[in-house]
Amino acid sequence: MTISTVPPDRNLPISQMRYDPRFQVETKADNFDLASAFRLVRRRMIMIIAITALLMAPTVTIISGLKPAYQAWARLIIHQPLATSLGADESHSDLLDAKSETERLLSRSIAERVVHELRFNVRPEFNPALREISFIDTIRAKLRGLFDKEKPTPPVRDNIDAIIPEFFRALGVWHEDKSDVIQISFTSNDPELAAAVPNRIISIYLDERKDSLGGRLDSAQEWIRQRITEQQARADIARDAARNYQESMDVVSKEDAQDERIKSLIEVTGREGKIEESRLEVKATISTLEAADNASVAAENIAVPDNIATKQRDLRAQEQDLARLLQTYDGNAEAVVDLRGKIQESRADLNLATKQYLQTMRAKLAALDHEAKSIQSILAEAHEKRTRDAMVQTELTRLQHIADKEQTALDKLEDQRRDLAAKAMLPGAELEVLSPASVPIASQGRGRLFYLVGALLAAISGAVTAVFVIEMSDRTVRSFDQMAAMVRTIPAGLIPRLARWENSKTMFEHMPVPMFDEAIRTVVLSLKQSNGGKLPNSIVVTSAHSGEGKSLVARSLAIELAAAAIPVLLVDGDLRRGKLDSFFRSGLMYGLNEFLNGQADIRDIVYRHPSGIDFIPSGRFSLQRRTRSNGLAEIIEMAGAAGQIVIFDSAPVLASTDTVHLTALAERTLAVVRWGKTSRRAVEFSLQQMKGSRNSEIVVAINNVNPKLHALYNFTDSELFSKSLMKYYSLKS
């Protein structure tokens, strides 16, 4: 690895000045404008294209199978026969009910006749048995077979039950809301068939209308004659009963007397309602006073006399004075004691006045109860008298009403009989065809290109919407702006992503990656500035979860310091999953686990790499018992005595408690966060676990940053890699 300048000695004295971190996070308003949307689309362009392609694949198949459809329609008006309007008043209409006639045109019998006469059974468009099974239908049938044990019955070629639904899908019969014009349309791939169906429906409708009306009139006339005979007998019986009752009871009119009694009854009923309202109010007041333990609290919730309200206000004022005195004096002061005595007297007076008011309310309730009973007795007597007087008149009215009702029914039946006799001599309906169906010249609807463009626009809209949803639900760390709310964190910089060949060929082979090298130097500078101007003696490199690049950052820091002629001791502190030994290939038999368990000496676990880095592997993972509780502190002390900087590649914070103990021993902690993978919640929780009295401020570096995508975000550090990226790719080209 190359360096641009010779770094100063870290042990040289520095001036007494404050060192601020190089990266100052500026909180930026999370405004969403058109530029942000454009950046989002650019960075998610591959996903948008993939989703659009997935959505368009079945749509293109469906659109390519579309056939041109032709639609023909006929317009008509259905009238009553002209003779039915003769002798009628001017308001009578000669039009039939358009809704009913529309339903008749959609009847099953007409549909079956059209299907048979025009031979729909030989047309694959309407006969499912003649169609070829598509690939999608085959897949649907197989999926249905996984859940349904019964095998589907294949369609029969001449089965009209399968043809009729297809016929009704192509047929349209409706009437306009503002007129009685009925329109019949039919859609088919054959233009001649589309024109033939509406015209044939009209002719079949006239035939069936004539046949059905004749049969209905014959049945109705026979039924009317039977009903007239029965109704005549009932009308005679009802008239005789009313006449006999009137003669026997000698009924006379008493309307004036009844009106006077009704007026008196209404007045008494109103008085009873007012008494009941007063009783409810008095009962509510009594219940409130009896249920409350404190008279002052009860008096606040109801309307009370002025004397009680005055005593209540005086008591409240005395309590407020007592509260103010207690803020100045203690509870044994003479003024406080006197005021408490006055409060007790006021409270006793208020309780006494409230009890007296309660007694008054009870007496008032008794008086109201007595008055209510008197009113109820008067009402009962009035109701009984009125009922007796009205019974005779009511019975006579009922009998007369029954007689009139029976006579009205008889008259109506006679009218219906005469009307049916007249209709039997007339045709069922007269039909006026405004425009018969003709063979259409052009197909119905849009062309395939239109649907294809519409589907493409819809697929793009769906893809962009999905991308927006994914972006809004993204809770991973991508910038230090998102960590601004996390207190006591020091940004150490953004570390760009290394390609696989760069990750394998850099480090010890002197093949520099300018952007990555500059980012590591930035991290070193941030560690130095956060430590008062000199590099810390011990550094712990950790992360929230595994796979976030902490080992890469740890060894890159060690290599950078070694290249600057600074003694470094790199320790693989992940005692369960450490893999740094495979990178250095030390070949040592023992490691940090053996040292902490007392099975090896410090000299047996240190490996001297040709690059100038001293390395301690993690050792065997199976060892759990640790006899040297202060072994890590001994390593830090030994390295400090030798003038070395100790870098611990520790386990993830959320996976091991050893890291929390190690951060308490080390001078500085470097938390590595993976760009676009580590969640903000995990970062915040892990930082909270590591913060202690010695490690109050934690240096944070964002690793594995994609420079191209990062430049498309609306963060304050989005332009950090722009110039370096342009220079880097120009050098590669």
mmCIF file with all atom_site columns, all heavy atoms in Angstrom, residues 20-23 25 480 486-493 526 529-531 668 670 697-701:
data_model
loop_
_atom_site.group_PDB
_atom_site.id
_atom_site.type_symbol
_atom_site.label_atom_id
_atom_site.label_alt_id
_atom_site.label_comp_id
_atom_site.label_asym_id
_atom_site.label_entity_id
_atom_site.label_seq_id
_atom_site.pdbx_PDB_ins_code
_atom_site.Cartn_x
_atom_site.Cartn_y
_atom_site.Cartn_z
_atom_site.occupancy
_atom_site.B_iso_or_equiv
_atom_site.pdbx_formal_charge
_atom_site.auth_seq_id
_atom_site.auth_comp_id
_atom_site.auth_asym_id
_atom_site.auth_atom_id
_atom_site.pdbx_PDB_model_num
ATOM 1   N N   . ASP A 1 20  ? -11.388 18.513 16.361 1.00 0.00 ? 20  ASP A N   1
ATOM 2   C CA  . ASP A 1 20  ? -12.744 18.092 16.002 1.00 0.00 ? 20  ASP A CA  1
ATOM 3   C C   . ASP A 1 20  ? -12.657 17.025 14.921 1.00 0.00 ? 20  ASP A C   1
ATOM 4   O O   . ASP A 1 20  ? -11.709 16.986 14.141 1.00 0.00 ? 20  ASP A O   1
ATOM 5   C CB  . ASP A 1 20  ? -13.574 19.275 15.484 1.00 0.00 ? 20  ASP A CB  1
ATOM 6   C CG  . ASP A 1 20  ? -13.829 20.269 16.597 1.00 0.00 ? 20  ASP A CG  1
ATOM 7   O OD1 . ASP A 1 20  ? -13.964 19.813 17.748 1.00 0.00 ? 20  ASP A OD1 1
ATOM 8   O OD2 . ASP A 1 20  ? -13.865 21.484 16.300 1.00 0.00 ? 20  ASP A OD2 1
ATOM 9   N N   . PRO A 1 21  ? -13.614 16.155 14.835 1.00 0.00 ? 21  PRO A N   1
ATOM 10  C CA  . PRO A 1 21  ? -13.608 15.139 13.781 1.00 0.00 ? 21  PRO A CA  1
ATOM 11  C C   . PRO A 1 21  ? -13.629 15.778 12.399 1.00 0.00 ? 21  PRO A C   1
ATOM 12  O O   . PRO A 1 21  ? -14.165 16.856 12.197 1.00 0.00 ? 21  PRO A O   1
ATOM 13  C CB  . PRO A 1 21  ? -14.898 14.346 14.041 1.00 0.00 ? 21  PRO A CB  1
ATOM 14  C CG  . PRO A 1 21  ? -15.253 14.634 15.456 1.00 0.00 ? 21  PRO A CG  1
ATOM 15  C CD  . PRO A 1 21  ? -14.735 16.005 15.745 1.00 0.00 ? 21  PRO A CD  1
ATOM 16  N N   . ARG A 1 22  ? -13.027 15.044 11.466 1.00 0.00 ? 22  ARG A N   1
ATOM 17  C CA  . ARG A 1 22  ? -12.948 15.580 10.110 1.00 0.00 ? 22  ARG A CA  1
ATOM 18  C C   . ARG A 1 22  ? -14.321 15.644 9.444  1.00 0.00 ? 22  ARG A C   1
ATOM 19  O O   . ARG A 1 22  ? -14.630 16.542 8.700  1.00 0.00 ? 22  ARG A O   1
ATOM 20  C CB  . ARG A 1 22  ? -12.016 14.683 9.283  1.00 0.00 ? 22  ARG A CB  1
ATOM 21  C CG  . ARG A 1 22  ? -11.839 15.153 7.846  1.00 0.00 ? 22  ARG A CG  1
ATOM 22  C CD  . ARG A 1 22  ? -10.879 14.260 7.101  1.00 0.00 ? 22  ARG A CD  1
ATOM 23  N NE  . ARG A 1 22  ? -10.755 14.679 5.713  1.00 0.00 ? 22  ARG A NE  1
ATOM 24  C CZ  . ARG A 1 22  ? -10.005 14.058 4.826  1.00 0.00 ? 22  ARG A CZ  1
ATOM 25  N NH1 . ARG A 1 22  ? -9.312  12.991 5.197  1.00 0.00 ? 22  ARG A NH1 1
ATOM 26  N NH2 . ARG A 1 22  ? -9.937  14.484 3.580  1.00 0.00 ? 22  ARG A NH2 1
ATOM 27  N N   . PHE A 1 23  ? -15.162 14.658 9.756  1.00 0.00 ? 23  PHE A N   1
ATOM 28  C CA  . PHE A 1 23  ? -16.496 14.600 9.151  1.00 0.00 ? 23  PHE A CA  1
ATOM 29  C C   . PHE A 1 23  ? -17.500 15.146 10.139 1.00 0.00 ? 23  PHE A C   1
ATOM 30  O O   . PHE A 1 23  ? -17.782 14.532 11.158 1.00 0.00 ? 23  PHE A O   1
ATOM 31  C CB  . PHE A 1 23  ? -16.862 13.155 8.782  1.00 0.00 ? 23  PHE A CB  1
ATOM 32  C CG  . PHE A 1 23  ? -16.133 12.650 7.585  1.00 0.00 ? 23  PHE A CG  1
ATOM 33  C CD1 . PHE A 1 23  ? -14.925 11.991 7.723  1.00 0.00 ? 23  PHE A CD1 1
ATOM 34  C CD2 . PHE A 1 23  ? -16.642 12.853 6.327  1.00 0.00 ? 23  PHE A CD2 1
ATOM 35  C CE1 . PHE A 1 23  ? -14.260 11.526 6.625  1.00 0.00 ? 23  PHE A CE1 1
ATOM 36  C CE2 . PHE A 1 23  ? -15.980 12.383 5.215  1.00 0.00 ? 23  PHE A CE2 1
ATOM 37  C CZ  . PHE A 1 23  ? -14.784 11.718 5.366  1.00 0.00 ? 23  PHE A CZ  1
ATOM 38  N N   . VAL A 1 25  ? -21.278 15.997 10.758 1.00 0.00 ? 25  VAL A N   1
ATOM 39  C CA  . VAL A 1 25  ? -22.578 15.626 10.200 1.00 0.00 ? 25  VAL A CA  1
ATOM 40  C C   . VAL A 1 25  ? -23.499 16.819 10.264 1.00 0.00 ? 25  VAL A C   1
ATOM 41  O O   . VAL A 1 25  ? -23.685 17.424 11.314 1.00 0.00 ? 25  VAL A O   1
ATOM 42  C CB  . VAL A 1 25  ? -23.183 14.438 10.983 1.00 0.00 ? 25  VAL A CB  1
ATOM 43  C CG1 . VAL A 1 25  ? -24.564 14.132 10.430 1.00 0.00 ? 25  VAL A CG1 1
ATOM 44  C CG2 . VAL A 1 25  ? -22.273 13.239 10.863 1.00 0.00 ? 25  VAL A CG2 1
ATOM 45  N N   . PHE A 1 480 ? -24.146 9.217  7.089  1.00 0.00 ? 480 PHE A N   1
ATOM 46  C CA  . PHE A 1 480 ? -24.067 9.722  8.462  1.00 0.00 ? 480 PHE A CA  1
ATOM 47  C C   . PHE A 1 480 ? -25.215 10.666 8.781  1.00 0.00 ? 480 PHE A C   1
ATOM 48  O O   . PHE A 1 480 ? -25.479 10.939 9.951  1.00 0.00 ? 480 PHE A O   1
ATOM 49  C CB  . PHE A 1 480 ? -22.720 10.434 8.684  1.00 0.00 ? 480 PHE A CB  1
ATOM 50  C CG  . PHE A 1 480 ? -21.557 9.495  8.763  1.00 0.00 ? 480 PHE A CG  1
ATOM 51  C CD1 . PHE A 1 480 ? -20.626 9.447  7.744  1.00 0.00 ? 480 PHE A CD1 1
ATOM 52  C CD2 . PHE A 1 480 ? -21.401 8.650  9.846  1.00 0.00 ? 480 PHE A CD2 1
ATOM 53  C CE1 . PHE A 1 480 ? -19.554 8.579  7.805  1.00 0.00 ? 480 PHE A CE1 1
ATOM 54  C CE2 . PHE A 1 480 ? -20.325 7.773  9.910  1.00 0.00 ? 480 PHE A CE2 1
ATOM 55  C CZ  . PHE A 1 480 ? -19.402 7.731  8.892  1.00 0.00 ? 480 PHE A CZ  1
ATOM 56  N N   . MET A 1 486 ? -28.081 9.930  16.765 1.00 0.00 ? 486 MET A N   1
ATOM 57  C CA  . MET A 1 486 ? -27.377 9.070  17.715 1.00 0.00 ? 486 MET A CA  1
ATOM 58  C C   . MET A 1 486 ? -26.275 9.885  18.387 1.00 0.00 ? 486 MET A C   1
ATOM 59  O O   . MET A 1 486 ? -25.299 10.286 17.748 1.00 0.00 ? 486 MET A O   1
ATOM 60  C CB  . MET A 1 486 ? -26.789 7.846  17.001 1.00 0.00 ? 486 MET A CB  1
ATOM 61  C CG  . MET A 1 486 ? -27.825 7.009  16.290 1.00 0.00 ? 486 MET A CG  1
ATOM 62  S SD  . MET A 1 486 ? -27.085 5.610  15.413 1.00 0.00 ? 486 MET A SD  1
ATOM 63  C CE  . MET A 1 486 ? -28.494 5.002  14.506 1.00 0.00 ? 486 MET A CE  1
ATOM 64  N N   . VAL A 1 487 ? -26.415 10.122 19.654 1.00 0.00 ? 487 VAL A N   1
ATOM 65  C CA  . VAL A 1 487 ? -25.493 11.003 20.371 1.00 0.00 ? 487 VAL A CA  1
ATOM 66  C C   . VAL A 1 487 ? -24.167 10.299 20.610 1.00 0.00 ? 487 VAL A C   1
ATOM 67  O O   . VAL A 1 487 ? -24.073 9.069  20.644 1.00 0.00 ? 487 VAL A O   1
ATOM 68  C CB  . VAL A 1 487 ? -26.121 11.452 21.709 1.00 0.00 ? 487 VAL A CB  1
ATOM 69  C CG1 . VAL A 1 487 ? -27.354 12.290 21.461 1.00 0.00 ? 487 VAL A CG1 1
ATOM 70  C CG2 . VAL A 1 487 ? -26.482 10.243 22.556 1.00 0.00 ? 487 VAL A CG2 1
ATOM 71  N N   . ARG A 1 488 ? -23.139 11.093 20.778 1.00 0.00 ? 488 ARG A N   1
ATOM 72  C CA  . ARG A 1 488 ? -21.784 10.647 21.125 1.00 0.00 ? 488 ARG A CA  1
ATOM 73  C C   . ARG A 1 488 ? -21.212 9.688  20.090 1.00 0.00 ? 488 ARG A C   1
ATOM 74  O O   . ARG A 1 488 ? -20.572 8.703  20.418 1.00 0.00 ? 488 ARG A O   1
ATOM 75  C CB  . ARG A 1 488 ? -21.759 9.998  22.503 1.00 0.00 ? 488 ARG A CB  1
ATOM 76  C CG  . ARG A 1 488 ? -22.147 10.952 23.633 1.00 0.00 ? 488 ARG A CG  1
ATOM 77  C CD  . ARG A 1 488 ? -22.054 10.270 24.974 1.00 0.00 ? 488 ARG A CD  1
ATOM 78  N NE  . ARG A 1 488 ? -22.384 11.183 26.063 1.00 0.00 ? 488 ARG A NE  1
ATOM 79  C CZ  . ARG A 1 488 ? -22.415 10.842 27.355 1.00 0.00 ? 488 ARG A CZ  1
ATOM 80  N NH1 . ARG A 1 488 ? -22.128 9.603  27.698 1.00 0.00 ? 488 ARG A NH1 1
ATOM 81  N NH2 . ARG A 1 488 ? -22.730 11.724 28.277 1.00 0.00 ? 488 ARG A NH2 1
ATOM 82  N N   . THR A 1 489 ? -21.456 9.951  18.828 1.00 0.00 ? 489 THR A N   1
ATOM 83  C CA  . THR A 1 489 ? -20.833 9.189  17.755 1.00 0.00 ? 489 THR A CA  1
ATOM 84  C C   . THR A 1 489 ? -19.996 10.145 16.918 1.00 0.00 ? 489 THR A C   1
ATOM 85  O O   . THR A 1 489 ? -20.376 11.292 16.686 1.00 0.00 ? 489 THR A O   1
ATOM 86  C CB  . THR A 1 489 ? -21.887 8.515  16.869 1.00 0.00 ? 489 THR A CB  1
ATOM 87  O OG1 . THR A 1 489 ? -22.782 9.505  16.368 1.00 0.00 ? 489 THR A OG1 1
ATOM 88  C CG2 . THR A 1 489 ? -22.670 7.475  17.656 1.00 0.00 ? 489 THR A CG2 1
ATOM 89  N N   . ILE A 1 490 ? -18.859 9.656  16.446 1.00 0.00 ? 490 ILE A N   1
ATOM 90  C CA  . ILE A 1 490 ? -17.938 10.459 15.648 1.00 0.00 ? 490 ILE A CA  1
ATOM 91  C C   . ILE A 1 490 ? -17.820 9.815  14.274 1.00 0.00 ? 490 ILE A C   1
ATOM 92  O O   . ILE A 1 490 ? -17.362 8.674  14.160 1.00 0.00 ? 490 ILE A O   1
ATOM 93  C CB  . ILE A 1 490 ? -16.550 10.544 16.317 1.00 0.00 ? 490 ILE A CB  1
ATOM 94  C CG1 . ILE A 1 490 ? -16.672 11.160 17.717 1.00 0.00 ? 490 ILE A CG1 1
ATOM 95  C CG2 . ILE A 1 490 ? -15.591 11.344 15.461 1.00 0.00 ? 490 ILE A CG2 1
ATOM 96  C CD1 . ILE A 1 490 ? -15.370 11.175 18.471 1.00 0.00 ? 490 ILE A CD1 1
ATOM 97  N N   . PRO A 1 491 ? -18.254 10.480 13.207 1.00 0.00 ? 491 PRO A N   1
ATOM 98  C CA  . PRO A 1 491 ? -18.116 9.912  11.861 1.00 0.00 ? 491 PRO A CA  1
ATOM 99  C C   . PRO A 1 491 ? -16.646 9.792  11.473 1.00 0.00 ? 491 PRO A C   1
ATOM 100 O O   . PRO A 1 491 ? -15.871 10.737 11.615 1.00 0.00 ? 491 PRO A O   1
ATOM 101 C CB  . PRO A 1 491 ? -18.859 10.907 10.974 1.00 0.00 ? 491 PRO A CB  1
ATOM 102 C CG  . PRO A 1 491 ? -19.743 11.688 11.907 1.00 0.00 ? 491 PRO A CG  1
ATOM 103 C CD  . PRO A 1 491 ? -19.006 11.747 13.204 1.00 0.00 ? 491 PRO A CD  1
ATOM 104 N N   . ALA A 1 492 ? -16.294 8.599  10.972 1.00 0.00 ? 492 ALA A N   1
ATOM 105 C CA  . ALA A 1 492 ? -14.909 8.366  10.581 1.00 0.00 ? 492 ALA A CA  1
ATOM 106 C C   . ALA A 1 492 ? -14.735 8.311  9.077  1.00 0.00 ? 492 ALA A C   1
ATOM 107 O O   . ALA A 1 492 ? -13.603 8.198  8.611  1.00 0.00 ? 492 ALA A O   1
ATOM 108 C CB  . ALA A 1 492 ? -14.388 7.067  11.207 1.00 0.00 ? 492 ALA A CB  1
ATOM 109 N N   . GLY A 1 493 ? -15.819 8.386  8.331  1.00 0.00 ? 493 GLY A N   1
ATOM 110 C CA  . GLY A 1 493 ? -15.685 8.393  6.889  1.00 0.00 ? 493 GLY A CA  1
ATOM 111 C C   . GLY A 1 493 ? -16.380 7.217  6.246  1.00 0.00 ? 493 GLY A C   1
ATOM 112 O O   . GLY A 1 493 ? -16.851 6.288  6.897  1.00 0.00 ? 493 GLY A O   1
ATOM 113 N N   . SER A 1 526 ? -9.363  10.333 11.459 1.00 0.00 ? 526 SER A N   1
ATOM 114 C CA  . SER A 1 526 ? -10.482 10.558 12.376 1.00 0.00 ? 526 SER A CA  1
ATOM 115 C C   . SER A 1 526 ? -10.185 9.994  13.755 1.00 0.00 ? 526 SER A C   1
ATOM 116 O O   . SER A 1 526 ? -10.516 10.604 14.776 1.00 0.00 ? 526 SER A O   1
ATOM 117 C CB  . SER A 1 526 ? -11.759 9.928  11.799 1.00 0.00 ? 526 SER A CB  1
ATOM 118 O OG  . SER A 1 526 ? -12.095 10.508 10.572 1.00 0.00 ? 526 SER A OG  1
ATOM 119 N N   . GLN A 1 529 ? -7.741  12.479 15.352 1.00 0.00 ? 529 GLN A N   1
ATOM 120 C CA  . GLN A 1 529 ? -8.359  13.731 15.760 1.00 0.00 ? 529 GLN A CA  1
ATOM 121 C C   . GLN A 1 529 ? -9.305  13.545 16.943 1.00 0.00 ? 529 GLN A C   1
ATOM 122 O O   . GLN A 1 529 ? -9.413  14.411 17.805 1.00 0.00 ? 529 GLN A O   1
ATOM 123 C CB  . GLN A 1 529 ? -9.114  14.341 14.570 1.00 0.00 ? 529 GLN A CB  1
ATOM 124 C CG  . GLN A 1 529 ? -8.199  14.841 13.478 1.00 0.00 ? 529 GLN A CG  1
ATOM 125 C CD  . GLN A 1 529 ? -8.968  15.412 12.296 1.00 0.00 ? 529 GLN A CD  1
ATOM 126 O OE1 . GLN A 1 529 ? -10.130 15.118 12.131 1.00 0.00 ? 529 GLN A OE1 1
ATOM 127 N NE2 . GLN A 1 529 ? -8.299  16.216 11.490 1.00 0.00 ? 529 GLN A NE2 1
ATOM 128 N N   . SER A 1 530 ? -10.026 12.421 16.982 1.00 0.00 ? 530 SER A N   1
ATOM 129 C CA  . SER A 1 530 ? -10.938 12.190 18.098 1.00 0.00 ? 530 SER A CA  1
ATOM 130 C C   . SER A 1 530 ? -10.208 11.863 19.384 1.00 0.00 ? 530 SER A C   1
ATOM 131 O O   . SER A 1 530 ? -10.813 11.888 20.466 1.00 0.00 ? 530 SER A O   1
ATOM 132 C CB  . SER A 1 530 ? -11.893 11.042 17.753 1.00 0.00 ? 530 SER A CB  1
ATOM 133 O OG  . SER A 1 530 ? -11.166 9.827  17.599 1.00 0.00 ? 530 SER A OG  1
ATOM 134 N N   . ASN A 1 531 ? -8.906  11.550 19.307 1.00 0.00 ? 531 ASN A N   1
ATOM 135 C CA  . ASN A 1 531 ? -8.121  11.195 20.488 1.00 0.00 ? 531 ASN A CA  1
ATOM 136 C C   . ASN A 1 531 ? -7.196  12.335 20.912 1.00 0.00 ? 531 ASN A C   1
ATOM 137 O O   . ASN A 1 531 ? -6.158  12.102 21.523 1.00 0.00 ? 531 ASN A O   1
ATOM 138 C CB  . ASN A 1 531 ? -7.318  9.920  20.202 1.00 0.00 ? 531 ASN A CB  1
ATOM 139 C CG  . ASN A 1 531 ? -6.837  9.261  21.471 1.00 0.00 ? 531 ASN A CG  1
ATOM 140 O OD1 . ASN A 1 531 ? -7.588  9.118  22.433 1.00 0.00 ? 531 ASN A OD1 1
ATOM 141 N ND2 . ASN A 1 531 ? -5.570  8.844  21.485 1.00 0.00 ? 531 ASN A ND2 1
ATOM 142 N N   . ARG A 1 668 ? -9.947  3.430  22.263 1.00 0.00 ? 668 ARG A N   1
ATOM 143 C CA  . ARG A 1 668 ? -10.904 3.884  21.271 1.00 0.00 ? 668 ARG A CA  1
ATOM 144 C C   . ARG A 1 668 ? -11.619 2.671  20.659 1.00 0.00 ? 668 ARG A C   1
ATOM 145 O O   . ARG A 1 668 ? -11.040 1.583  20.561 1.00 0.00 ? 668 ARG A O   1
ATOM 146 C CB  . ARG A 1 668 ? -10.237 4.684  20.149 1.00 0.00 ? 668 ARG A CB  1
ATOM 147 C CG  . ARG A 1 668 ? -9.979  6.125  20.498 1.00 0.00 ? 668 ARG A CG  1
ATOM 148 C CD  . ARG A 1 668 ? -11.283 6.879  20.632 1.00 0.00 ? 668 ARG A CD  1
ATOM 149 N NE  . ARG A 1 668 ? -11.075 8.220  21.156 1.00 0.00 ? 668 ARG A NE  1
ATOM 150 C CZ  . ARG A 1 668 ? -12.024 9.021  21.569 1.00 0.00 ? 668 ARG A CZ  1
ATOM 151 N NH1 . ARG A 1 668 ? -13.273 8.595  21.530 1.00 0.00 ? 668 ARG A NH1 1
ATOM 152 N NH2 . ARG A 1 668 ? -11.766 10.214 22.027 1.00 0.00 ? 668 ARG A NH2 1
ATOM 153 N N   . LEU A 1 670 ? -13.865 1.542  17.218 1.00 0.00 ? 670 LEU A N   1
ATOM 154 C CA  . LEU A 1 670 ? -14.267 1.850  15.849 1.00 0.00 ? 670 LEU A CA  1
ATOM 155 C C   . LEU A 1 670 ? -15.388 0.878  15.464 1.00 0.00 ? 670 LEU A C   1
ATOM 156 O O   . LEU A 1 670 ? -15.158 -0.328 15.341 1.00 0.00 ? 670 LEU A O   1
ATOM 157 C CB  . LEU A 1 670 ? -13.088 1.712  14.883 1.00 0.00 ? 670 LEU A CB  1
ATOM 158 C CG  . LEU A 1 670 ? -13.420 1.878  13.388 1.00 0.00 ? 670 LEU A CG  1
ATOM 159 C CD1 . LEU A 1 670 ? -13.957 3.264  13.112 1.00 0.00 ? 670 LEU A CD1 1
ATOM 160 C CD2 . LEU A 1 670 ? -12.192 1.593  12.523 1.00 0.00 ? 670 LEU A CD2 1
ATOM 161 N N   . GLU A 1 697 ? -17.389 8.283  23.548 1.00 0.00 ? 697 GLU A N   1
ATOM 162 C CA  . GLU A 1 697 ? -17.574 8.624  22.147 1.00 0.00 ? 697 GLU A CA  1
ATOM 163 C C   . GLU A 1 697 ? -17.031 7.491  21.290 1.00 0.00 ? 697 GLU A C   1
ATOM 164 O O   . GLU A 1 697 ? -15.901 7.047  21.482 1.00 0.00 ? 697 GLU A O   1
ATOM 165 C CB  . GLU A 1 697 ? -16.869 9.934  21.800 1.00 0.00 ? 697 GLU A CB  1
ATOM 166 C CG  . GLU A 1 697 ? -17.505 11.150 22.451 1.00 0.00 ? 697 GLU A CG  1
ATOM 167 C CD  . GLU A 1 697 ? -16.842 12.434 22.011 1.00 0.00 ? 697 GLU A CD  1
ATOM 168 O OE1 . GLU A 1 697 ? -15.706 12.348 21.493 1.00 0.00 ? 697 GLU A OE1 1
ATOM 169 O OE2 . GLU A 1 697 ? -17.442 13.503 22.179 1.00 0.00 ? 697 GLU A OE2 1
ATOM 170 N N   . ILE A 1 698 ? -17.833 7.016  20.345 1.00 0.00 ? 698 ILE A N   1
ATOM 171 C CA  . ILE A 1 698 ? -17.487 5.877  19.505 1.00 0.00 ? 698 ILE A CA  1
ATOM 172 C C   . ILE A 1 698 ? -17.331 6.362  18.074 1.00 0.00 ? 698 ILE A C   1
ATOM 173 O O   . ILE A 1 698 ? -18.188 7.072  17.542 1.00 0.00 ? 698 ILE A O   1
ATOM 174 C CB  . ILE A 1 698 ? -18.565 4.785  19.605 1.00 0.00 ? 698 ILE A CB  1
ATOM 175 C CG1 . ILE A 1 698 ? -18.624 4.253  21.038 1.00 0.00 ? 698 ILE A CG1 1
ATOM 176 C CG2 . ILE A 1 698 ? -18.290 3.653  18.627 1.00 0.00 ? 698 ILE A CG2 1
ATOM 177 C CD1 . ILE A 1 698 ? -19.711 3.234  21.257 1.00 0.00 ? 698 ILE A CD1 1
ATOM 178 N N   . VAL A 1 699 ? -16.225 5.975  17.462 1.00 0.00 ? 699 VAL A N   1
ATOM 179 C CA  . VAL A 1 699 ? -15.953 6.338  16.073 1.00 0.00 ? 699 VAL A CA  1
ATOM 180 C C   . VAL A 1 699 ? -16.679 5.339  15.175 1.00 0.00 ? 699 VAL A C   1
ATOM 181 O O   . VAL A 1 699 ? -16.604 4.124  15.386 1.00 0.00 ? 699 VAL A O   1
ATOM 182 C CB  . VAL A 1 699 ? -14.437 6.330  15.796 1.00 0.00 ? 699 VAL A CB  1
ATOM 183 C CG1 . VAL A 1 699 ? -14.155 6.770  14.364 1.00 0.00 ? 699 VAL A CG1 1
ATOM 184 C CG2 . VAL A 1 699 ? -13.719 7.240  16.778 1.00 0.00 ? 699 VAL A CG2 1
ATOM 185 N N   . VAL A 1 700 ? -17.381 5.846  14.176 1.00 0.00 ? 700 VAL A N   1
ATOM 186 C CA  . VAL A 1 700 ? -18.201 5.010  13.299 1.00 0.00 ? 700 VAL A CA  1
ATOM 187 C C   . VAL A 1 700 ? -17.731 5.206  11.862 1.00 0.00 ? 700 VAL A C   1
ATOM 188 O O   . VAL A 1 700 ? -17.549 6.337  11.404 1.00 0.00 ? 700 VAL A O   1
ATOM 189 C CB  . VAL A 1 700 ? -19.694 5.371  13.418 1.00 0.00 ? 700 VAL A CB  1
ATOM 190 C CG1 . VAL A 1 700 ? -20.525 4.480  12.504 1.00 0.00 ? 700 VAL A CG1 1
ATOM 191 C CG2 . VAL A 1 700 ? -20.166 5.227  14.854 1.00 0.00 ? 700 VAL A CG2 1
ATOM 192 N N   . ALA A 1 701 ? -17.529 4.080  11.158 1.00 0.00 ? 701 ALA A N   1
ATOM 193 C CA  . ALA A 1 701 ? -17.167 4.094  9.741  1.00 0.00 ? 701 ALA A CA  1
ATOM 194 C C   . ALA A 1 701 ? -18.190 3.273  8.975  1.00 0.00 ? 701 ALA A C   1
ATOM 195 O O   . ALA A 1 701 ? -18.591 2.198  9.420  1.00 0.00 ? 701 ALA A O   1
ATOM 196 C CB  . ALA A 1 701 ? -15.767 3.530  9.528  1.00 0.00 ? 701 ALA A CB  1
#
